[in-house]
Amino acid sequence: MTASPPPLQLDQVALTLPSVAGPVAILRGVDFSVATGECVAVVGPSGSGKSSLIAVAAGLEQPSAGTVRLFGEDLSRLNEDGRARLRRGRVSLVFQSFHLLPNMTAEENVAAPLEIAGARNAGATAADWLDRVGLHERRRHYPHQLSGGEQQRVALARALAARPALLFADEPTGNLDADNAGLVADMMFALVAEVGAALVLVTHEAALAERAGRRVTMAGGRIVNGA
Ligand SMILES: Nc1ncnc2c1ncn2[C@@H]1O[C@H](COP(=O)(O)OP(=O)(O)OP(=O)(O)O)[C@@H](O)[C@H]1O
Ligand SMILES: [Mg+2]
């Protein structure tokens, strides 16, 4: 029996983007792997390349050099549709700003990606996941009728309802007060463990990073510790 490939594997990934002042080297030779079910925190100063690492790892941005593999598939061999198909149901993202669709209720926001993935009973699954994040009573509310912490719990339910194998979370508690940050973090770790997802968590909060099984530190577009 062959072992299944790791959810994420980056080899010597570079990202250089043009700017008015000339090309900017944003990632400079990053080697980074995440094993099945592993939780990794990515820390480092502002501007060190953490969000860029996530963009490239999730296939949202094309690297200038190096290889990104998701579940063993080299993303450079896929077009945008192919990358979207590879991610669907297997890779989810949660951001600092919640990115809910404003004209959909909480339940519709959670159900939408399930429907796109062809799931049956998407509405019932969405309602169940909102229940798990403590928002049963709020399921028919629109995002603007929810607090920041509640919106992020909807985003978390949406991200995990498809039971992805890999969750990227970029400062998921960055816009929340301490109480809500703690609640969202508790739910995120519990639900990630329950679905068996691997987690790549960018955070500035030391206490949150401590909860991951491994920490990597970025500086100047490189991983300087923990790769
Ligand atoms: N589209 C772009 N064009 C040029 N430079 C960019 C672009 N996007 C990001 N950068 C630069 O790349 C560097 C890394 O940015 P990135 O957003 O990945 O940092 P970060 O570690 O996530 O920072 P923060 O902790 O503030 O979120 C920064 O210097 C940023 O200014
Ligand atoms: Mg960032």
Side-chain angles (χ1 to χ4, degrees), residues 47 49-52 96 170-171 202 204:
K50 305 180 300 295
S51 294
S52 304
Q96 180 172 2
D170 192 348
E171 301 192 42
V202 170
H204 284 285

Side-chain angles (χ1 to χ4, degrees), residues 88-104:
R88 194 170 298 149
R90 297 215 274 179
V91 178
S92 286
L93 292 116
V94 178
F95 299 98
Q96 180 172 2
S97 49
F98 322 116
H99 291 227
L100 299 176
L101 296 169
N103 299 323
M104 289 188 179

Side-chain angles (χ1 to χ4, degrees), residues 1-45:
M1 203 175 89
T2 54
S4 55
L8 180 64
Q9 191 171 8
L10 274 64
D11 289 304
Q12 284 300 301
V13 165
L15 177 67
T16 303
L17 292 176
S19 81
V20 284
V24 189
I26 293 169
L27 298 175
R28 308 163 182 244
V30 172
D31 292 322
F32 179 51
S33 287
V34 178
T36 302
E38 189 184 24
C39 293
V40 185
V42 179
V43 300

Side-chain angles (χ1 to χ4, degrees), residues 18 23 28 30 33 35 58 62 74 88 130 138 151 200 202 218:
R28 308 163 182 244
V30 172
S33 287
Q62 308 254 47
D74 180 348
R88 194 170 298 149
L130 287 170
R138 297 276 185 275
Q151 289 183 60
V200 178
V202 170
M218 293 196 72

Side-chain angles (χ1 to χ4, degrees), residues 6-225:
L8 180 64
Q9 191 171 8
L10 274 64
D11 289 304
Q12 284 300 301
V13 165
L15 177 67
T16 303
L17 292 176
S19 81
V20 284
V24 189
I26 293 169
L27 298 175
R28 308 163 182 244
V30 172
D31 292 322
F32 179 51
S33 287
V34 178
T36 302
E38 189 184 24
C39 293
V40 185
V42 179
V43 300
S46 183
S48 58
K50 305 180 300 295
S51 294
S52 304
L53 175 70
I54 286 193
V56 166
L60 307 175
E61 186 98 58
Q62 308 254 47
S64 317
T67 312
V68 179
R69 288 191 182 82
L70 273 178
F71 312 107
E73 294 252 18
D74 180 348
L75 293 184
S76 71
R77 294 175 184 275
L78 300 170
N79 61 17
E80 200 171 329
D81 277 355
R83 293 196 297 273
R85 221 172 303 120
L86 177 63
R87 279 194 300 266
R88 194 170 298 149
R90 297 215 274 179
V91 178
S92 286
L93 292 116
V94 178
F95 299 98
Q96 180 172 2
S97 49
F98 322 116
H99 291 227
L100 299 176
L101 296 169
N103 299 323
M104 289 188 179
T105 64
E107 191 172 298
E108 288 163 352
N109 265 281
V110 177
L114 297 170
E115 284 164 0
I116 290 167
R120 279 183 294 168
N121 304 322
T125 304
D128 176 49
W129 276 85
L130 287 170
D131 202 12
R132 287 164 184 238
V133 297
L135 291 175
H136 180 75
E137 306 296 326
R138 297 276 185 275
R139 66 192 184 284
R140 308 238 192 277
H141 285 53
Y142 288 87
H144 76 271
Q145 299 170 319
L146 298 170
S147 73
E150 288 168 346
Q151 289 183 60
Q152 194 63 307
R153 280 146 64 193
V154 175
L156 203 53
R158 178 179 61 180
L160 291 168
R163 299 186 162 268
L166 178 58
L167 174 67
F168 292 104
D170 192 348
E171 301 192 42
T173 62
N175 276 346
L176 305 178
D177 62 57
D179 285 350
N180 276 298
L183 188 61
V184 165
D186 287 348
M187 287 179 173
M188 181 179 67
F189 278 107
L191 296 172
V192 157
E194 185 195 317
V195 309
L199 172 66
V200 178
L201 166 66
V202 170
T203 182
H204 284 285
E205 292 169 54
L208 194 52
E210 281 300 317
R211 294 176 64 171
R214 176 159 66 100
R215 276 157 297 285
V216 307
T217 307
M218 293 196 72
R222 290 191 175 90
I223 290 180
V224 293
N225 200 359

